[in-house]
Amino acid sequence: MPLRSVFWKCLHDQWRAMLGWSVFAALVPGMYVALYPSFGAAGSMQQFMDQLPEAYRALFASTGLDISTAEGYLNIELFSFVGPLLLLAVGVALGASATAGEEEGGTADLLLANPIRRWRVVLEKAAAMVLWTLVVACAIWVGVVAAAIGFGVELPFDRIAAALVDCALLGIAFGGVALLVGVVVAKRMAAFALAFIVAVVAYFVNALAPLVEGMKDLRVLSPFYWYIGNDPLRNGLEPAHVLALVGLAVVCIALAAIAWERRDIHG
Amino acid sequence: MTETVVRTHDLTKSYGRSRGIIGVDLEVRQGEVFGFLGPNGAGKTTTIRLLLDLIRPTSGRAEVFGLDAHRDGLAIRGRVGYLPGELRLYGSLSGKELFSYFGHLRTRPDGADAARIAETLDLDITREVRTLSHGNRQKVGLVQALMGRPELVILDEPTQGLDPFVQQSFYRLLEEVRADGRTVFMSSHVLPEIERTCDRVGIVREGRLLAVESVSDLKTRALRRLELRFGVPVPQDAFAAVPGIRDLTVDGVVVGCSVVGSVDALFKAAVAFELLDVSTTEPTLEEIFLAYYGEASDAAA
């Protein structure tokens, strides 16, 4: 990998881990799809789901629990939990280590003594984070499609792609949050943990707020709602929600760039 | 006319109670090797990081090449090579990869120059940095600071971790920079190193610049600690009249003292007795500060 810029340096450092994560991310949903013919179609799972308390069901899916179709099954198994987790992990890990990694590793002085602006370092590292999150989303799609074809499961590949774009944007948005926290605290693990906690809170707000009288409206504040509230697997991308996710990422990355420009570098 | 490469005006950086620097006015001229001498924690690294816009002053101003360190930081850093004091490198990159990376960031990838400097220092640039010893990592840091012939080379404690043989190579590289008419600003806590390499020295202690002197002046006022051993006991007042003598102790056949400047008068007085042995020790930085700047450093304390 040529070391032509900060962006290329990120790709150079990250490609092995991201390759491994992509393979894993392709296998997990692929496995779900492969299991569907033997398990989802049996009907007993649907009965079990129907008996679950509402709050518990809400945690796993925002739009009903229908696993009688492969699509509904995938919505629950992949898009409600595992998919966001796989992509959040990428965004948050890369975001948290962007500037905090340089400062904690003690290389920030050396890097920033070069004729490069700090905001540019932030943007190039953010660009690498965005790219890898999309790459892993593509890997998930490939895994799903390959398994669907291999095991003869009928699935709408185009709407799965749309839902994965949404899901990747969720990961990128929280990656932006992690990057911003990383600029503020200058500690990789702390940035990772804090951004993840924010994501967990957002997850529960989206899942549980509708069940609590008077808190229903809070749900629209959660990035998880922007991601899955409109059920992208069934309805495709909702422009307003896509814009909200992109907006969160852009605002966080911009704030991170400005904040890093203004403060002293930890040496 | 010699140009001023580095100039600071009343430069101050406060960090809570301690550390930092207070009101530093510094001037480094083009083509000189300027030493920044002081004990650890005196504010050398803080000053250097202010010049590179890595940190921002609490008050005062720093200029490099006549440009504002903050506003024109990008233009300045394009003409500066820098070795940090606490050098940390990217462990997974080889020296060669690091030089390529920084060469691109400086938009003048000059692998040949880096390779030449690395060879001078006897550094294997194909090995991953994480597998290198501390001394070899320091060499990697030196190469990236010197490569591409920057107009100003800022080195924070450049010889730490280098063995004496490599230090000689490093001094040769400094001579090369000087011969080009380029400028060096280097910090050190070791006086002999500054004496050996620098034209002028700024002496810093507890965040304040105590004095700026030419190294040749410093040498004529060099402080030496001596111990003289005689064959016969000498009288208590035998050396009291020697000019420049201080901390005189006479204990039978052993006389201990410090001398500022020439030792000529001391030895002329000593030949009146049977002189068996002379030993001298390098004064510590603290002793030098006390001897030269006793009042100034008390004021700073």
Side-chain angles (χ1 to χ4, degrees):
Chain A
M1 204 74 70
L3 293 158
R4 263 188 236 117
S5 63
V6 173
F7 176 74
W8 280 97
K9 167 76 164 52
C10 290
L11 301 193
H12 176 275
D13 291 345
Q14 295 159 355
W15 75 268
R16 283 183 197 84
M18 288 302 124
L19 181 69
W21 194 246
S22 294
V23 170
F24 179 69
L27 288 177
V28 170
M31 191 186 68
Y32 282 128
V33 173
L35 284 174
Y36 178 72
S38 56
F39 148 92
S44 58
M45 196 63 189
Q46 180 68 50
Q47 281 174 9
F48 171 70
M49 293 279 189
D50 290 342
Q51 284 161 6
L52 289 175
E54 197 184 358
Y56 191 74
R57 287 168 35 170
L59 281 179
F60 286 94
S62 39
T63 50
L65 278 169
D66 173 20
I67 60 166
S68 60
T69 66
E71 199 180 322
Y73 167 81
L74 207 63
N75 217 357
I76 296 157
E77 290 293 357
L78 179 57
F79 286 101
S80 298
F81 190 70
V82 176
L85 194 65
L86 285 168
L87 293 167
L88 268 171
V90 176
V92 171
L94 297 183
S97 65
T99 64
E102 298 275 359
E103 288 191 87
E104 213 173 8
T107 50
D109 268 28
L110 202 62
L111 174 65
L112 296 175
N114 287 295
I116 184 164
R117 293 193 192 281
R118 293 186 200 170
W119 61 257
R120 191 165 164 172
V121 173
V122 170
L123 292 197
E124 292 197 32
K125 288 190 175 254
M129 179 270 287
V130 169
L131 177 72
W132 287 126
T133 311
L134 293 172
V135 164
V136 174
C138 286
I140 295 175
W141 187 83
V142 169
V144 171
V145 168
I149 293 169
F151 293 89
V153 180
E154 289 257 343
L155 281 170
F157 296 149
D158 55 339
R159 276 181 283 123
I160 286 173
L164 278 169
V165 167
D166 236 5
C167 196
L169 290 177
L170 181 76
I172 289 165
F174 280 105
V177 171
L179 206 157
L180 177 58
V181 177
V183 164
V184 173
V185 301
K187 294 253 187 299
R188 225 173 330 190
M189 281 315 293
F192 185 89
L194 280 168
F196 224 94
I197 288 167
V198 172
V200 168
V201 169
Y203 180 84
F204 280 105
V205 166
N206 172 58
L208 299 180
L211 307 178
V212 183
E213 204 52 51
M215 282 182 67
K216 278 191 172 64
D217 297 340
L218 274 183
R219 194 180 173 202
V220 300
L221 296 176
S222 169
F224 273 87
Y225 175 73
W226 308 338
Y227 153 56
I228 207 166
N230 192 46
D231 198 351
L233 188 56
R234 197 167 298 165
N235 305 318
L237 293 173
E238 157 73 39
H241 289 178
V242 168
L243 218 65
L245 287 171
V246 172
L248 177 61
V250 167
V251 166
C252 284
I253 292 165
L255 285 177
I258 292 165
W260 214 39
E261 277 286 343
R262 296 173 76 98
R263 74 157 167 80
D264 287 354
I265 296 302
H266 296 217
Chain B
M1 202 190 100
T2 49
E3 267 178 69
T4 301
V5 172
V6 176
R7 191 199 297 273
T8 68
H9 305 272
D10 199 22
L11 192 62
T12 299
K13 178 71 183 178
S14 318
Y15 294 100
R17 196 170 303 176
S18 60
R19 294 171 64 217
I21 56 169
I22 307 151
V24 170
D25 291 298
L26 197 67
E27 208 183 292
V28 179
R29 300 174 199 138
Q30 191 187 338
E32 73 177 339
V33 178
F34 189 93
F36 206 36
L37 179 69
N40 291 325
K44 303 187 300 280
T45 298
T46 300
T47 308
I48 286 173
R49 297 182 79 226
L50 283 164
L51 294 179
L52 291 160
D53 194 36
L54 294 166
I55 53 176
R56 311 276 158 67
T58 310
S59 65
R61 229 149 29 91
E63 285 174 8
V64 183
F65 306 120
L67 302 167
D68 183 79
H70 175 53
R71 205 184 52 238
D72 308 311
L74 199 66
I76 291 170
R77 295 196 303 273
R79 298 158 69 184
V80 174
Y82 166 56
L83 173 73
E86 269 177 51
L87 178 66
R88 301 279 295 276
L89 299 158
Y90 301 105
S92 65
L93 296 190
S94 68
K96 194 174 177 175
E97 287 172 318
L98 181 83
F99 306 146
S100 163
Y101 179 35
F102 281 4
H104 280 104
L105 294 184
R106 296 169 196 176
T107 59
R108 44 158 201 263
D110 188 353
D113 195 37
R116 182 187 60 81
I117 299 168
E119 204 176 307
T120 308
L121 292 171
D122 194 23
L123 170 69
D124 180 357
I125 62 171
T126 61
R127 278 177 62 184
E128 272 190 16
V129 166
R130 76 165 105 247
T131 68
L132 296 177
S133 67
H134 181 77
N136 279 321
R137 287 178 199 197
Q138 189 72 4
K139 290 182 196 173
V140 172
L142 277 170
V143 173
Q144 65 80 34
L146 292 167
M147 70 180 194
R149 312 184 93 77
E151 290 169 59
L152 170 64
V153 183
I154 298 178
L155 307 169
D156 195 355
E157 303 273 356
T159 55
Q160 56 180 331
L162 294 184
D163 64 55
F165 184 72
V166 180
Q167 281 184 25
Q168 300 306 314
S169 308
F170 165 66
Y171 296 146
R172 275 203 301 282
L173 287 168
L174 276 192
E175 280 310 314
E176 194 178 287
V177 176
R178 193 206 303 267
D180 285 354
R182 295 184 280 135
T183 311
V184 178
F185 182 84
M186 64 177 269
S187 78
S188 177
H189 64 275
V190 190
L191 180 64
E193 174 172 287
I194 295 280
E195 284 182 335
R196 141 126 225 197
T197 52
C198 297
D199 305 307
R200 289 199 306 146
V201 56
I203 295 168
V204 62
R205 187 168 186 266
E206 289 174 5
R208 290 174 198 271
L209 186 66
L210 299 184
V212 177
E213 314 218 15
S214 81
V215 167
S216 48
D217 281 356
L218 206 62
K219 277 179 179 162
T220 61
R221 296 199 286 122
L223 177 79
R224 288 180 194 80
R225 217 129 178 108
L226 295 108
E227 195 178 87
L228 310 172
R229 189 172 293 274
F230 295 94
V232 292
V234 297
Q236 286 290 323
D237 58 353
F239 298 100
V242 171
I245 200 160
R246 46 178 90 205
D247 308 328
L248 179 66
T249 58
V250 180
D251 182 14
V253 298
V254 179
V255 174
C257 62
S258 298
V259 177
V260 174
S262 169
V263 294
D264 186 59
L266 173 69
F267 283 140
K268 280 185 175 144
V271 292
F273 310 96
E274 186 195 2
L275 182 57
L276 295 181
D277 188 26
V278 178
S279 64
T280 78
T281 48
E282 209 60 66
T284 67
L285 220 44
E286 271 310 303
E287 286 172 322
I288 292 167
F289 286 139
L290 280 173
Y292 295 174
Y293 314 105
E295 286 165 54
S297 62
D298 286 346

